[in-house]
Structures are given as structure tokens and as C-alpha cells.
Amino acid sequence: MADRASPWYSVYRPRPDAEVQLYCLPGAGADATMFRPWADRLPPDIELRAVRLPGRHAPHPEKPFTGCVEAADRLATGLAAHLRVPYVLFGHSMGALLAHQLIGALARGGLPPPLLYVSASWLVEGTPRERLPDPAASDERFVEVLARLGGVPSRVLADQEVLAFTLPVLRADFELCRTYRFDPGAPPLTVPVRAMGGVADRVTPVEEMTGWARHARRFLGTRCFPGDHFFPRDQTAQVLGVLVEDIRAVRAAARAP
């Protein structure tokens, strides 16, 4: 269910006494429900808050984002009143891009950083354009590239009525991805960073995820999982196992004298 106090995230299993808030951001074309199966698998001290991006949920006060800086600023404004330290940011693909940008937007607003940032299937240097659908392409070409990437069920791609609703959101999302500009001169993140990748991922090959080591003062390494770009959907138990382990370790390190 969506939190009554905010349209920006859903809490499928409320845990008001939880010690950690886990904000999860979905990838292009996906929505908060991709994280619904995670809610019951987390320990009682972690509350899942699945971020609701505009264009997927009604009613929502915003139109689909098409720029990553604008998106991060709006998310920071929408979430600011609900963040409680310690909190963790997990993002998949475009969601990892947004979580990365959100860290900067929150800092600009004088808000505390997350305890941990997890980038699943996203490269800090950005994903090369040729690996992604062109938002300006024809519907036929756009759908063809989507089908090669996987992740969107074939029944959706074959249903013209569903596509009429889905394609505008997907086009906006891939336009957003194209607005990201990697700054090679930017200082490394001070937030602990965990990278995750699928061994068969052709969009963000797992061996490229090690590049995070150059952009984080505390890089926890890359964890590899069976599957492709969409491994967080298919390897829930394994991903959550690593995630919970990392949260425990980072919390313990933060509390150590």
C-alpha cells in the first residue's frame, strides 16, 4: 500500500518500529510493485519503502520524469519529510542512476546521507547509448530493442492496448537515462557503495561494475548473481541475503568507536 502521508513510496508491510528504512528505486518501465515480494522476506528491523515514480501510479502529483537532475530534486523534495536515519538506497538500473543522483540532491538540501548505496546493474560512467532503446525511434524499432533487452514480458509487447500506456513511460525513462552526464572530476562518494550485477547481463556487464572502486571511498565490492540485467527480480533471496548482510556490517562499522 502507499503511505497515506506520501505518494512517493509504497510500504507493503508497515514496520513503524523498524530501525532501518530501505528505499528501493525501480528501473526503466518498472514500478514500485517490482519490490513487493521483498517486503515479507526482510527481517523485522528493516522496513521496505518502494519508491513510486510518476507516470506509473494514479493519482500522482507529477508527470513522468525526463531529466535525471530534475527527477532527483523532485524525489528529494518528496521524500525529505519521511527520511529517518539510518536509511539505505537500493536502485536497479535507471533506479540506481536516480539513487546516485538523489544522494547529491539530498546533500544540497542539507539532509543526511544514506547508510549505504547499492547500485544494481548501473555503471557510474553511464550506460552506452547503443545498448539502450532510442526514445526517438519508431514504435516498431523501439519495441524490437526492448525485446532484445528482455525484462518486458512478450505478452505486453504484443498487446497494442497495453503498449499504448506503457511506451510513453518507457520513452520518458530512456530519455531520462540519456540526460545523465558522468563527471570524471567529481569526488568519490563518501557513502559506502555495493555494486551488484548479473553474470549474463549484456547491458551493464558485471565485469564493468568494478569501475565503482574508482568512485567510492568505501567500495564494498561487486557481487555477481545468476541471470541477466533483471537479476534482482529473479534472484530475490540471494540479493536480499547480500543486502541484509551489508546493512548489518555497515551499521556495525558506523557504531564502532
Side-chain angles (χ1 to χ4, degrees):
M1 67 177 183
D3 189 288
R4 292 180 180 178
S6 174
W8 290 98
Y9 59 86
S10 294
V11 179
Y12 298 115
R13 183 164 182 176
R15 291 170 171 165
D17 297 325
E19 297 176 4
V20 178
Q21 295 176 340
L22 171 60
Y23 286 88
C24 294
L25 290 81
D31 62 22
T33 59
M34 89 170 262
F35 298 109
R36 186 189 294 272
W38 293 25
D40 292 331
R41 292 174 178 257
L42 288 166
D45 60 329
I46 301 175
E47 181 182 74
L48 172 70
R49 297 190 165 195
V51 173
R52 293 161 53 93
L53 299 175
R56 298 145 171 82
H57 303 275
H60 198 288
E62 304 282 344
K63 295 180 180 179
F65 297 131
T66 56
C68 64
V69 174
E70 168 212 9
D73 287 341
R74 290 299 300 122
L75 283 169
T77 299
L79 296 175
H82 306 275
L83 290 175
R84 186 179 71 239
V85 176
Y87 68 95
V88 171
L89 295 179
F90 174 98
H92 173 239
S93 194
M94 183 191 76
L97 184 165
L98 289 175
H100 177 266
Q101 299 292 280
L102 181 57
I103 293 172
L106 292 169
R108 291 191 295 274
L111 295 165
L115 177 74
L116 169 70
Y117 162 56
V118 181
S119 175
S121 301
W122 183 68
L123 313 172
V124 67
E125 294 87 353
T127 304
R129 290 189 175 193
E130 60 270 18
R131 298 180 190 172
L132 302 175
D134 181 353
S138 66
D139 285 355
E140 182 180 9
R141 177 60 178 164
F142 191 81
V143 170
E144 178 186 339
V145 178
L146 277 177
R148 288 207 307 266
L149 291 179
V152 181
S154 57
R155 67 179 183 278
V156 172
L157 296 178
D159 189 322
Q160 294 302 312
E161 186 174 337
V162 174
L163 275 180
F165 169 77
T166 306
L167 284 183
V169 174
L170 283 163
R171 288 184 186 278
D173 285 351
F174 285 111
E175 181 64 31
L176 183 154
C177 292
R178 284 173 170 245
T179 67
Y180 173 71
R181 297 290 181 268
F182 170 62
D183 179 3
L189 286 179
T190 58
V191 174
V193 175
R194 164 70 75 189
M196 295 183 177
V199 295
D201 189 344
R202 293 179 297 174
V203 181
T204 51
V206 68
E207 59 270 18
E208 295 181 11
M209 298 293 291
T210 58
W212 273 107
R214 299 188 298 272
H215 305 290
R217 291 184 183 173
R218 186 179 175 195
F219 180 53
L220 305 182
T222 303
R223 293 296 291 265
C224 303
F225 298 86
D228 57 16
H229 191 70
F230 302 94
F231 74 88
R233 176 195 61 193
D234 303 323
Q235 305 294 332
T236 296
Q238 295 91 325
V239 170
L240 288 182
V242 173
L243 184 55
V244 171
E245 180 182 312
D246 283 345
I247 291 172
R248 298 270 190 268
V250 173
R251 285 203 76 198
R255 289 181 293 197

